[in-house]
Amino acid sequence: MFKYPNSQPSTVNPQQSFLSAIALPVNSVSTWSKLAVTLPKTMYKTFFYRTAILLLSLAFTACSAATSPQIQQSTPAGSPANQPQTTNSESAQKVVALTPLTADIIHQLDPTKLVGIPGSALVSSNPKFTGITAVTAERTPPNLEKIIALKPDLVVGASGFHDQTMQKLQQLGIKTLLTQVDSWKSLEELTTTLAKSLNTNPQPLLKRYQTFLSDIPNQNPATLVLVSRQPILSPNQSSWAGDLLGKFNVKNVAAQLQGDSPVRGYVTLSAEKVLEANPEVIIVVDRGEGILDQFKSDSFWNQLTATKNNRVYVFDYYGLVNPGSIEKIEQATYQLKQVLAKK
């Protein structure tokens, strides 16, 4: 599973690597203490800012040294570690979610118990969350005063991003749950854990997840997913995107690759490496930066089999790279089926 850097607010220094804050969630700001990549000083500042913003949003995909999916639960002082803090006889009645995905899952399980949500655009733009208090603003730490004012009996956040907030809440006697999602299995585990905390049945939602994986075309073309251009980053199997491709039996050409990328689950590729892999299908993740047009300006681009055969597809960041919400996951899986159905 992934592990994020500590959630300390900061600003990105354009003279440092634009990768210094690559693993931020949608509503948190942090920096890496050690930088694996630095850019030449001749690069323009606007390049740093633009690329940093794109890469900062690799939320919920940065991985720690953990090698298997797990749900991490923070516990009050003196409590046994990794033990559920709520039971069916003591279910949570007022829950604050600090991530878009957990807010969506909780709303699906029992909307009456969700009292606080993150202030990310993904959540605020969804009318079903209208009237629910936002306890964060875009890319800022949670507002403790707002959380406390809601008098929650459970606060759910992301491991590595919200640890310090959770510690403060624990000191006030508020139960917390830290989550990590970078695989399908961890999504199911998270849903089951939240359902137990809410004393509700997870099976309808789990069954819905399975419909996303039904009727998968029997095609496994060599595929490369590109999430950024400078540097060229691609997810391997230790990421949400990589795991999702595996569910669709897609031959992810970056699956087994390891590199010096500061984000576990992603590898940095050179143009030569992309040419060597020469994928049959290329999936470009675009967040409105026109990344596909940028790749088209690279000399190697037109030499690729996927380009020659017109098998280059643009995907939304949410669903494929960052699970984001249940609806976004469903949209990504539907689009994958369409891509694989083509020959």
Side-chain angles (χ1 to χ4, degrees), residues 26-64:
V26 262
N27 41 41
S28 179
V29 178
S30 65
T31 57
W32 288 75
S33 60
K34 293 184 178 180
L35 308 179
V37 181
T38 56
L39 291 178
K41 294 181 180 179
T42 54
M43 289 295 193
Y44 296 103
K45 290 185 178 181
T46 53
F47 168 79
F48 286 98
Y49 287 125
R50 184 176 66 251
T51 311
I53 289 172
L54 185 152
L55 296 178
L56 290 178
S57 54
L58 285 176
F60 313 112
T61 58
C63 301
S64 69

Side-chain angles (χ1 to χ4, degrees), residues 144-190:
L144 276 175
E145 292 184 0
K146 286 187 176 181
I147 295 175
I148 295 170
L150 293 172
K151 298 180 179 180
D153 42 32
L154 178 63
V155 178
V156 185
S159 177
F161 281 119
H162 301 126
D163 299 57
Q164 293 187 5
T165 298
M166 297 305 199
Q167 291 173 5
K168 294 176 181 178
L169 292 172
Q170 291 168 24
Q171 293 171 1
L172 297 173
I174 299 174
K175 296 174 183 178
T176 63
L177 175 66
L178 285 173
T179 66
Q180 299 179 326
V181 180
D182 72 346
S183 68
W184 197 269
K185 180 179 179 181
S186 63
L187 172 66
E188 294 176 329
E189 289 177 345
L190 171 59

Side-chain angles (χ1 to χ4, degrees), residues 240-273:
W240 168 261
D243 185 77
L244 187 59
L245 292 177
K247 290 293 182 183
F248 279 75
N249 301 315
V250 173
K251 182 182 178 182
N252 178 11
V253 298
Q256 303 297 329
L257 297 179
Q258 301 295 328
D260 295 329
S261 170
V263 183
R264 184 176 179 270
Y266 288 80
V267 292
T268 303
L269 302 177
S270 63
E272 292 75 18
K273 194 69 177 180

Side-chain angles (χ1 to χ4, degrees), residues 71-74 92 94-103 105-106 114 116-118 135 142 147 152-159 162 165-166 169 174-180 190 193-194 197-198:
I71 301 298
Q72 290 192 349
Q73 211 156 5
S74 59
K94 300 176 70 176
V95 185
V96 171
L98 301 181
T99 71
L101 180 61
T102 53
I105 294 174
I106 293 168
L114 183 62
I117 56 176
V135 297
I147 295 175
D153 42 32
L154 178 63
V155 178
V156 185
S159 177
H162 301 126
T165 298
M166 297 305 199
L169 292 172
I174 299 174
K175 296 174 183 178
T176 63
L177 175 66
L178 285 173
T179 66
Q180 299 179 326
L190 171 59
T193 298
L194 289 173
S197 297
L198 299 172

Side-chain angles (χ1 to χ4, degrees), residues 188-209:
E188 294 176 329
E189 289 177 345
L190 171 59
T191 301
T192 301
T193 298
L194 289 173
K196 183 176 181 180
S197 297
L198 299 172
N199 192 18
T200 189
N201 183 10
Q203 289 306 313
L205 194 50
L206 293 175
K207 289 180 180 179
R208 183 183 172 190
Y209 294 164

